[in-house]
PDB file of all heavy atoms in Angstrom:
ATOM      1  N   CYS R   1      12.197   1.173   5.802  1.00  0.00           N
ATOM      2  CA  CYS R   1      11.432   0.384   6.807  1.00  0.00           C
ATOM      3  C   CYS R   1      10.136  -0.046   6.324  1.00  0.00           C
ATOM      4  O   CYS R   1       9.674   0.523   5.305  1.00  0.00           O
ATOM      5  CB  CYS R   1      11.290   1.276   8.025  1.00  0.00           C
ATOM      6  SG  CYS R   1      10.127   2.723   7.732  1.00  0.00           S
ATOM      7  N   ARG R   2       9.604  -1.004   6.973  1.00  0.00           N
ATOM      8  CA  ARG R   2       8.159  -1.245   6.902  1.00  0.00           C
ATOM      9  C   ARG R   2       7.492  -0.198   7.835  1.00  0.00           C
ATOM     10  O   ARG R   2       7.810   0.132   8.908  1.00  0.00           O
ATOM     11  CB  ARG R   2       7.957  -2.660   7.508  1.00  0.00           C
ATOM     12  CG  ARG R   2       8.534  -3.760   6.606  1.00  0.00           C
ATOM     13  CD  ARG R   2       8.393  -5.149   7.312  1.00  0.00           C
ATOM     14  NE  ARG R   2       9.399  -5.369   8.320  1.00  0.00           N
ATOM     15  CZ  ARG R   2       9.572  -6.459   8.890  1.00  0.00           C
ATOM     16  NH1 ARG R   2       8.711  -7.520   8.663  1.00  0.00           N
ATOM     17  NH2 ARG R   2      10.473  -6.744   9.813  1.00  0.00           N
ATOM     18  N   MET R   3       6.436   0.386   7.196  1.00  0.00           N
ATOM     19  CA  MET R   3       5.879   1.539   7.907  1.00  0.00           C
ATOM     20  C   MET R   3       4.943   1.127   9.079  1.00  0.00           C
ATOM     21  O   MET R   3       4.485  -0.007   9.104  1.00  0.00           O
ATOM     22  CB  MET R   3       4.942   2.381   6.851  1.00  0.00           C
ATOM     23  CG  MET R   3       5.957   3.133   5.970  1.00  0.00           C
ATOM     24  SD  MET R   3       5.259   4.028   4.515  1.00  0.00           S
ATOM     25  CE  MET R   3       4.099   5.033   5.216  1.00  0.00           C
ATOM     26  N   LEU R   4       4.721   1.990  10.015  1.00  0.00           N
ATOM     27  CA  LEU R   4       3.972   1.629  11.122  1.00  0.00           C
ATOM     28  C   LEU R   4       2.599   1.201  10.749  1.00  0.00           C
ATOM     29  O   LEU R   4       1.882   1.719   9.910  1.00  0.00           O
ATOM     30  CB  LEU R   4       3.811   2.957  12.061  1.00  0.00           C
ATOM     31  CG  LEU R   4       5.212   3.490  12.656  1.00  0.00           C
ATOM     32  CD1 LEU R   4       4.957   4.730  13.476  1.00  0.00           C
ATOM     33  CD2 LEU R   4       5.802   2.418  13.572  1.00  0.00           C
ATOM     34  N   GLY R   5       2.160   0.219  11.509  1.00  0.00           N
ATOM     35  CA  GLY R   5       0.825  -0.402  11.238  1.00  0.00           C
ATOM     36  C   GLY R   5       0.674  -1.267  10.069  1.00  0.00           C
ATOM     37  O   GLY R   5      -0.347  -1.849   9.748  1.00  0.00           O
ATOM     38  N   ALA R   6       1.879  -1.410   9.296  1.00  0.00           N
ATOM     39  CA  ALA R   6       1.841  -2.327   8.010  1.00  0.00           C
ATOM     40  C   ALA R   6       2.549  -3.600   8.357  1.00  0.00           C
ATOM     41  O   ALA R   6       3.814  -3.564   8.360  1.00  0.00           O
ATOM     42  CB  ALA R   6       2.425  -1.490   6.950  1.00  0.00           C
ATOM     43  N   LYS R   7       1.842  -4.744   8.603  1.00  0.00           N
ATOM     44  CA  LYS R   7       2.519  -5.960   8.988  1.00  0.00           C
ATOM     45  C   LYS R   7       2.999  -6.696   7.705  1.00  0.00           C
ATOM     46  O   LYS R   7       2.408  -7.613   7.203  1.00  0.00           O
ATOM     47  CB  LYS R   7       1.537  -6.788   9.799  1.00  0.00           C
ATOM     48  CG  LYS R   7       2.245  -8.092  10.359  1.00  0.00           C
ATOM     49  CD  LYS R   7       3.082  -7.844  11.530  1.00  0.00           C
ATOM     50  CE  LYS R   7       3.312  -9.047  12.379  1.00  0.00           C
ATOM     51  NZ  LYS R   7       4.191 -10.036  11.792  1.00  0.00           N
ATOM     52  N   VAL R   8       4.087  -6.122   7.135  1.00  0.00           N
ATOM     53  CA  VAL R   8       4.679  -6.647   5.887  1.00  0.00           C
ATOM     54  C   VAL R   8       5.645  -7.749   6.227  1.00  0.00           C
ATOM     55  O   VAL R   8       6.498  -7.650   7.036  1.00  0.00           O
ATOM     56  CB  VAL R   8       5.366  -5.512   5.176  1.00  0.00           C
ATOM     57  CG1 VAL R   8       6.056  -6.083   3.858  1.00  0.00           C
ATOM     58  CG2 VAL R   8       4.409  -4.438   4.761  1.00  0.00           C
ATOM     59  N   GLU R   9       5.507  -8.889   5.443  1.00  0.00           N
ATOM     60  CA  GLU R   9       6.523 -10.032   5.558  1.00  0.00           C
ATOM     61  C   GLU R   9       6.781 -10.425   4.176  1.00  0.00           C
ATOM     62  O   GLU R   9       6.056 -10.268   3.187  1.00  0.00           O
ATOM     63  CB  GLU R   9       5.793 -11.168   6.323  1.00  0.00           C
ATOM     64  CG  GLU R   9       5.263 -10.879   7.717  1.00  0.00           C
ATOM     65  CD  GLU R   9       6.330 -10.891   8.673  1.00  0.00           C
ATOM     66  OE1 GLU R   9       7.579 -10.856   8.331  1.00  0.00           O
ATOM     67  OE2 GLU R   9       6.031 -10.793   9.977  1.00  0.00           O
ATOM     68  N   ALA R  10       7.958 -11.145   4.087  1.00  0.00           N
ATOM     69  CA  ALA R  10       8.330 -11.830   2.839  1.00  0.00           C
ATOM     70  C   ALA R  10       8.072 -13.317   3.034  1.00  0.00           C
ATOM     71  O   ALA R  10       8.584 -13.912   4.011  1.00  0.00           O
ATOM     72  CB  ALA R  10       9.825 -11.615   2.527  1.00  0.00           C
ATOM     73  N   PHE R  11       7.179 -13.903   2.245  1.00  0.00           N
ATOM     74  CA  PHE R  11       6.871 -15.387   2.341  1.00  0.00           C
ATOM     75  C   PHE R  11       7.637 -16.201   1.411  1.00  0.00           C
ATOM     76  O   PHE R  11       7.687 -15.832   0.149  1.00  0.00           O
ATOM     77  CB  PHE R  11       5.349 -15.481   2.100  1.00  0.00           C
ATOM     78  CG  PHE R  11       4.564 -15.386   3.405  1.00  0.00           C
ATOM     79  CD1 PHE R  11       4.970 -14.845   4.617  1.00  0.00           C
ATOM     80  CD2 PHE R  11       3.172 -15.903   3.424  1.00  0.00           C
ATOM     81  CE1 PHE R  11       4.125 -14.707   5.675  1.00  0.00           C
ATOM     82  CE2 PHE R  11       2.349 -15.823   4.477  1.00  0.00           C
ATOM     83  CZ  PHE R  11       2.918 -15.190   5.659  1.00  0.00           C
ATOM     84  N   ASP R  12       8.135 -17.338   1.853  1.00  0.00           N
ATOM     85  CA  ASP R  12       8.747 -18.306   0.934  1.00  0.00           C
ATOM     86  C   ASP R  12       7.666 -19.127   0.235  1.00  0.00           C
ATOM     87  O   ASP R  12       6.536 -18.927   0.466  1.00  0.00           O
ATOM     88  CB  ASP R  12       9.810 -19.119   1.643  1.00  0.00           C
ATOM     89  CG  ASP R  12       9.202 -20.048   2.723  1.00  0.00           C
ATOM     90  OD1 ASP R  12       7.943 -20.220   2.738  1.00  0.00           O
ATOM     91  OD2 ASP R  12       9.922 -20.631   3.492  1.00  0.00           O
ATOM     92  N   GLU R  13       8.099 -20.088  -0.538  1.00  0.00           N
ATOM     93  CA  GLU R  13       7.141 -20.891  -1.388  1.00  0.00           C
ATOM     94  C   GLU R  13       6.280 -21.695  -0.378  1.00  0.00           C
ATOM     95  O   GLU R  13       5.217 -22.197  -0.923  1.00  0.00           O
ATOM     96  CB  GLU R  13       7.954 -21.736  -2.346  1.00  0.00           C
ATOM     97  CG  GLU R  13       8.863 -22.748  -1.779  1.00  0.00           C
ATOM     98  CD  GLU R  13      10.257 -22.196  -1.644  1.00  0.00           C
ATOM     99  OE1 GLU R  13      10.421 -20.926  -1.738  1.00  0.00           O
ATOM    100  OE2 GLU R  13      11.178 -22.909  -1.446  1.00  0.00           O
ATOM    101  N   ASN R  14       6.584 -21.918   0.817  1.00  0.00           N
ATOM    102  CA  ASN R  14       5.759 -22.635   1.777  1.00  0.00           C
ATOM    103  C   ASN R  14       4.902 -21.765   2.552  1.00  0.00           C
ATOM    104  O   ASN R  14       4.175 -22.178   3.553  1.00  0.00           O
ATOM    105  CB  ASN R  14       6.661 -23.430   2.725  1.00  0.00           C
ATOM    106  CG  ASN R  14       7.490 -24.429   1.923  1.00  0.00           C
ATOM    107  OD1 ASN R  14       6.956 -25.209   1.113  1.00  0.00           O
ATOM    108  ND2 ASN R  14       8.677 -24.531   2.211  1.00  0.00           N
ATOM    109  N   GLY R  15       4.846 -20.446   2.313  1.00  0.00           N
ATOM    110  CA  GLY R  15       3.994 -19.561   3.039  1.00  0.00           C
ATOM    111  C   GLY R  15       4.467 -19.191   4.404  1.00  0.00           C
ATOM    112  O   GLY R  15       3.756 -18.800   5.276  1.00  0.00           O
ATOM    113  N   LYS R  16       5.861 -19.242   4.584  1.00  0.00           N
ATOM    114  CA  LYS R  16       6.493 -18.958   5.784  1.00  0.00           C
ATOM    115  C   LYS R  16       7.289 -17.682   5.751  1.00  0.00           C
ATOM    116  O   LYS R  16       8.076 -17.486   4.713  1.00  0.00           O
ATOM    117  CB  LYS R  16       7.415 -20.103   6.249  1.00  0.00           C
ATOM    118  CG  LYS R  16       6.716 -21.434   6.423  1.00  0.00           C
ATOM    119  CD  LYS R  16       5.590 -21.379   7.614  1.00  0.00           C
ATOM    120  CE  LYS R  16       4.939 -22.765   7.715  1.00  0.00           C
ATOM    121  NZ  LYS R  16       3.735 -22.679   8.596  1.00  0.00           N
ATOM    122  N   PRO R  17       7.283 -16.885   6.683  1.00  0.00           N
ATOM    123  CA  PRO R  17       8.139 -15.556   6.657  1.00  0.00           C
ATOM    124  C   PRO R  17       9.642 -15.830   6.641  1.00  0.00           C
ATOM    125  O   PRO R  17      10.050 -16.725   7.383  1.00  0.00           O
ATOM    126  CB  PRO R  17       7.810 -14.746   7.902  1.00  0.00           C
ATOM    127  CG  PRO R  17       7.145 -15.745   8.787  1.00  0.00           C
ATOM    128  CD  PRO R  17       6.550 -16.857   8.009  1.00  0.00           C
ATOM    129  N   VAL R  18      10.383 -15.120   5.811  1.00  0.00           N
ATOM    130  CA  VAL R  18      11.818 -15.367   5.786  1.00  0.00           C
ATOM    131  C   VAL R  18      12.518 -14.019   5.867  1.00  0.00           C
ATOM    132  O   VAL R  18      11.953 -12.901   5.468  1.00  0.00           O
ATOM    133  CB  VAL R  18      12.276 -16.067   4.338  1.00  0.00           C
ATOM    134  CG1 VAL R  18      11.755 -17.377   4.359  1.00  0.00           C
ATOM    135  CG2 VAL R  18      11.657 -15.262   3.168  1.00  0.00           C
ATOM    136  N   LEU R  19      13.712 -13.945   6.330  1.00  0.00           N
ATOM    137  CA  LEU R  19      14.520 -12.787   6.552  1.00  0.00           C
ATOM    138  C   LEU R  19      15.793 -12.968   5.594  1.00  0.00           C
ATOM    139  O   LEU R  19      16.339 -14.002   5.530  1.00  0.00           O
ATOM    140  CB  LEU R  19      14.952 -12.619   7.949  1.00  0.00           C
ATOM    141  CG  LEU R  19      15.790 -11.358   8.263  1.00  0.00           C
ATOM    142  CD1 LEU R  19      14.854 -10.162   8.151  1.00  0.00           C
ATOM    143  CD2 LEU R  19      16.373 -11.451   9.684  1.00  0.00           C
ATOM    144  N   ASP R  20      16.158 -11.818   4.932  1.00  0.00           N
ATOM    145  CA  ASP R  20      17.297 -11.839   4.105  1.00  0.00           C
ATOM    146  C   ASP R  20      17.229 -12.772   2.856  1.00  0.00           C
ATOM    147  O   ASP R  20      18.270 -13.300   2.379  1.00  0.00           O
ATOM    148  CB  ASP R  20      18.602 -12.162   4.911  1.00  0.00           C
ATOM    149  CG  ASP R  20      19.828 -11.536   4.286  1.00  0.00           C
ATOM    150  OD1 ASP R  20      19.771 -10.489   3.462  1.00  0.00           O
ATOM    151  OD2 ASP R  20      20.926 -11.923   4.610  1.00  0.00           O
ATOM    152  N   GLU R  21      16.073 -13.136   2.533  1.00  0.00           N
ATOM    153  CA  GLU R  21      15.743 -13.961   1.277  1.00  0.00           C
ATOM    154  C   GLU R  21      14.588 -13.358   0.562  1.00  0.00           C
ATOM    155  O   GLU R  21      13.695 -12.717   1.066  1.00  0.00           O
ATOM    156  CB  GLU R  21      15.425 -15.368   1.663  1.00  0.00           C
ATOM    157  CG  GLU R  21      16.440 -16.204   2.293  1.00  0.00           C
ATOM    158  CD  GLU R  21      15.839 -17.627   2.610  1.00  0.00           C
ATOM    159  OE1 GLU R  21      14.900 -18.046   1.990  1.00  0.00           O
ATOM    160  OE2 GLU R  21      16.294 -18.192   3.664  1.00  0.00           O
ATOM    161  N   LEU R  22      14.662 -13.442  -0.743  1.00  0.00           N
ATOM    162  CA  LEU R  22      13.659 -13.011  -1.638  1.00  0.00           C
ATOM    163  C   LEU R  22      12.354 -13.813  -1.357  1.00  0.00           C
ATOM    164  O   LEU R  22      12.375 -14.972  -1.212  1.00  0.00           O
ATOM    165  CB  LEU R  22      13.996 -13.068  -3.070  1.00  0.00           C
ATOM    166  CG  LEU R  22      14.761 -12.062  -3.696  1.00  0.00           C
ATOM    167  CD1 LEU R  22      15.171 -12.333  -5.104  1.00  0.00           C
ATOM    168  CD2 LEU R  22      14.085 -10.640  -3.723  1.00  0.00           C
ATOM    169  N   GLY R  23      11.331 -13.063  -1.219  1.00  0.00           N
ATOM    170  CA  GLY R  23       9.915 -13.834  -1.007  1.00  0.00           C
ATOM    171  C   GLY R  23       8.841 -12.943  -1.499  1.00  0.00           C
ATOM    172  O   GLY R  23       8.952 -11.821  -1.949  1.00  0.00           O
ATOM    173  N   GLU R  24       7.662 -13.474  -1.381  1.00  0.00           N
ATOM    174  CA  GLU R  24       6.444 -12.893  -1.859  1.00  0.00           C
ATOM    175  C   GLU R  24       5.924 -11.815  -0.750  1.00  0.00           C
ATOM    176  O   GLU R  24       5.904 -12.264   0.348  1.00  0.00           O
ATOM    177  CB  GLU R  24       5.325 -13.963  -2.009  1.00  0.00           C
ATOM    178  CG  GLU R  24       4.085 -13.448  -2.652  1.00  0.00           C
ATOM    179  CD  GLU R  24       4.206 -13.357  -4.146  1.00  0.00           C
ATOM    180  OE1 GLU R  24       4.606 -14.422  -4.720  1.00  0.00           O
ATOM    181  OE2 GLU R  24       3.781 -12.349  -4.693  1.00  0.00           O
ATOM    182  N   MET R  25       5.729 -10.595  -1.150  1.00  0.00           N
ATOM    183  CA  MET R  25       5.287  -9.535  -0.233  1.00  0.00           C
ATOM    184  C   MET R  25       3.823  -9.807   0.166  1.00  0.00           C
ATOM    185  O   MET R  25       2.980  -9.840  -0.656  1.00  0.00           O
ATOM    186  CB  MET R  25       5.478  -8.228  -0.871  1.00  0.00           C
ATOM    187  CG  MET R  25       5.050  -7.085   0.061  1.00  0.00           C
ATOM    188  SD  MET R  25       5.331  -5.519  -0.738  1.00  0.00           S
ATOM    189  CE  MET R  25       4.486  -4.413   0.407  1.00  0.00           C
ATOM    190  N   VAL R  26       3.604  -9.935   1.490  1.00  0.00           N
ATOM    191  CA  VAL R  26       2.397 -10.073   2.037  1.00  0.00           C
ATOM    192  C   VAL R  26       2.138  -9.113   3.283  1.00  0.00           C
ATOM    193  O   VAL R  26       3.018  -8.564   3.816  1.00  0.00           O
ATOM    194  CB  VAL R  26       2.056 -11.537   2.580  1.00  0.00           C
ATOM    195  CG1 VAL R  26       2.138 -12.532   1.469  1.00  0.00           C
ATOM    196  CG2 VAL R  26       3.016 -11.852   3.656  1.00  0.00           C
ATOM    197  N   ILE R  27       0.760  -8.876   3.498  1.00  0.00           N
ATOM    198  CA  ILE R  27       0.439  -7.976   4.698  1.00  0.00           C
ATOM    199  C   ILE R  27      -0.552  -8.858   5.513  1.00  0.00           C
ATOM    200  O   ILE R  27      -1.547  -9.390   4.921  1.00  0.00           O
ATOM    201  CB  ILE R  27      -0.242  -6.692   4.214  1.00  0.00           C
ATOM    202  CG1 ILE R  27       0.753  -5.864   3.498  1.00  0.00           C
ATOM    203  CG2 ILE R  27      -0.656  -5.920   5.515  1.00  0.00           C
ATOM    204  CD1 ILE R  27       0.851  -6.085   1.979  1.00  0.00           C
ATOM    205  N   THR R  28      -0.207  -9.139   6.727  1.00  0.00           N
ATOM    206  CA  THR R  28      -0.923 -10.158   7.455  1.00  0.00           C
ATOM    207  C   THR R  28      -1.902  -9.621   8.478  1.00  0.00           C
ATOM    208  O   THR R  28      -2.595 -10.344   9.100  1.00  0.00           O
ATOM    209  CB  THR R  28       0.057 -11.087   8.182  1.00  0.00           C
ATOM    210  OG1 THR R  28       0.813 -10.250   9.174  1.00  0.00           O
ATOM    211  CG2 THR R  28       1.038 -11.821   7.313  1.00  0.00           C
ATOM    212  N   GLN R  29      -2.027  -8.261   8.569  1.00  0.00           N
ATOM    213  CA  GLN R  29      -2.932  -7.611   9.443  1.00  0.00           C
ATOM    214  C   GLN R  29      -3.617  -6.458   8.686  1.00  0.00           C
ATOM    215  O   GLN R  29      -3.091  -5.895   7.768  1.00  0.00           O
ATOM    216  CB  GLN R  29      -2.281  -6.986  10.619  1.00  0.00           C
ATOM    217  CG  GLN R  29      -1.585  -7.947  11.591  1.00  0.00           C
ATOM    218  CD  GLN R  29      -2.664  -8.600  12.553  1.00  0.00           C
ATOM    219  OE1 GLN R  29      -3.897  -8.552  12.338  1.00  0.00           O
ATOM    220  NE2 GLN R  29      -2.197  -9.376  13.566  1.00  0.00           N
ATOM    221  N   PRO R  30      -4.972  -6.193   9.078  1.00  0.00           N
ATOM    222  CA  PRO R  30      -5.665  -5.198   8.333  1.00  0.00           C
ATOM    223  C   PRO R  30      -5.151  -3.792   8.596  1.00  0.00           C
ATOM    224  O   PRO R  30      -4.420  -3.580   9.548  1.00  0.00           O
ATOM    225  CB  PRO R  30      -7.130  -5.315   8.945  1.00  0.00           C
ATOM    226  CG  PRO R  30      -6.964  -5.978  10.138  1.00  0.00           C
ATOM    227  CD  PRO R  30      -5.788  -6.833  10.097  1.00  0.00           C
ATOM    228  N   MET R  31      -5.397  -2.856   7.699  1.00  0.00           N
ATOM    229  CA  MET R  31      -5.111  -1.469   7.755  1.00  0.00           C
ATOM    230  C   MET R  31      -6.272  -0.646   7.417  1.00  0.00           C
ATOM    231  O   MET R  31      -7.091  -1.058   6.464  1.00  0.00           O
ATOM    232  CB  MET R  31      -3.961  -1.009   6.880  1.00  0.00           C
ATOM    233  CG  MET R  31      -2.586  -1.794   7.162  1.00  0.00           C
ATOM    234  SD  MET R  31      -1.300  -1.326   6.058  1.00  0.00           S
ATOM    235  CE  MET R  31      -1.084   0.363   6.111  1.00  0.00           C
ATOM    236  N   PRO R  32      -6.498   0.472   8.022  1.00  0.00           N
ATOM    237  CA  PRO R  32      -7.725   1.347   7.816  1.00  0.00           C
ATOM    238  C   PRO R  32      -7.857   1.733   6.381  1.00  0.00           C
ATOM    239  O   PRO R  32      -9.029   1.994   5.870  1.00  0.00           O
ATOM    240  CB  PRO R  32      -7.580   2.510   8.739  1.00  0.00           C
ATOM    241  CG  PRO R  32      -6.677   2.038   9.804  1.00  0.00           C
ATOM    242  CD  PRO R  32      -5.673   1.122   9.119  1.00  0.00           C
ATOM    243  N   SER R  33      -6.740   1.926   5.619  1.00  0.00           N
ATOM    244  CA  SER R  33      -6.792   2.442   4.229  1.00  0.00           C
ATOM    245  C   SER R  33      -6.854   1.268   3.157  1.00  0.00           C
ATOM    246  O   SER R  33      -6.844   1.627   1.953  1.00  0.00           O
ATOM    247  CB  SER R  33      -5.600   3.354   3.843  1.00  0.00           C
ATOM    248  OG  SER R  33      -4.475   2.716   3.936  1.00  0.00           O
ATOM    249  N   MET R  34      -7.028   0.064   3.573  1.00  0.00           N
ATOM    250  CA  MET R  34      -7.304  -1.004   2.607  1.00  0.00           C
ATOM    251  C   MET R  34      -8.646  -0.709   2.135  1.00  0.00           C
ATOM    252  O   MET R  34      -9.551  -0.056   2.684  1.00  0.00           O
ATOM    253  CB  MET R  34      -7.249  -2.311   3.289  1.00  0.00           C
ATOM    254  CG  MET R  34      -5.770  -2.832   3.595  1.00  0.00           C
ATOM    255  SD  MET R  34      -5.825  -4.393   4.482  1.00  0.00           S
ATOM    256  CE  MET R  34      -4.022  -4.751   4.340  1.00  0.00           C
ATOM    257  N   PRO R  35      -8.946  -1.115   0.858  1.00  0.00           N
ATOM    258  CA  PRO R  35     -10.302  -0.754   0.218  1.00  0.00           C
ATOM    259  C   PRO R  35     -11.401  -1.220   1.036  1.00  0.00           C
ATOM    260  O   PRO R  35     -11.378  -2.321   1.773  1.00  0.00           O
ATOM    261  CB  PRO R  35     -10.321  -1.578  -1.058  1.00  0.00           C
ATOM    262  CG  PRO R  35      -8.846  -1.774  -1.346  1.00  0.00           C
ATOM    263  CD  PRO R  35      -8.119  -1.877  -0.131  1.00  0.00           C
ATOM    264  N   VAL R  36     -12.555  -0.478   1.098  1.00  0.00           N
ATOM    265  CA  VAL R  36     -13.772  -0.871   1.769  1.00  0.00           C
ATOM    266  C   VAL R  36     -14.531  -2.003   0.913  1.00  0.00           C
ATOM    267  O   VAL R  36     -15.000  -2.866   1.425  1.00  0.00           O
ATOM    268  CB  VAL R  36     -14.698   0.282   2.164  1.00  0.00           C
ATOM    269  CG1 VAL R  36     -14.215   0.879   3.465  1.00  0.00           C
ATOM    270  CG2 VAL R  36     -14.952   1.269   1.034  1.00  0.00           C
TER     271      VAL R  36
END
């Protein structure tokens, strides 16, 4: 799974989220343990 609080998406070459396709892993929302 994608873990709780981690807004992980797979982006295609146009920067749009895709399902069941290979894409660039992105996180679109902040998380507290991202670097300060």
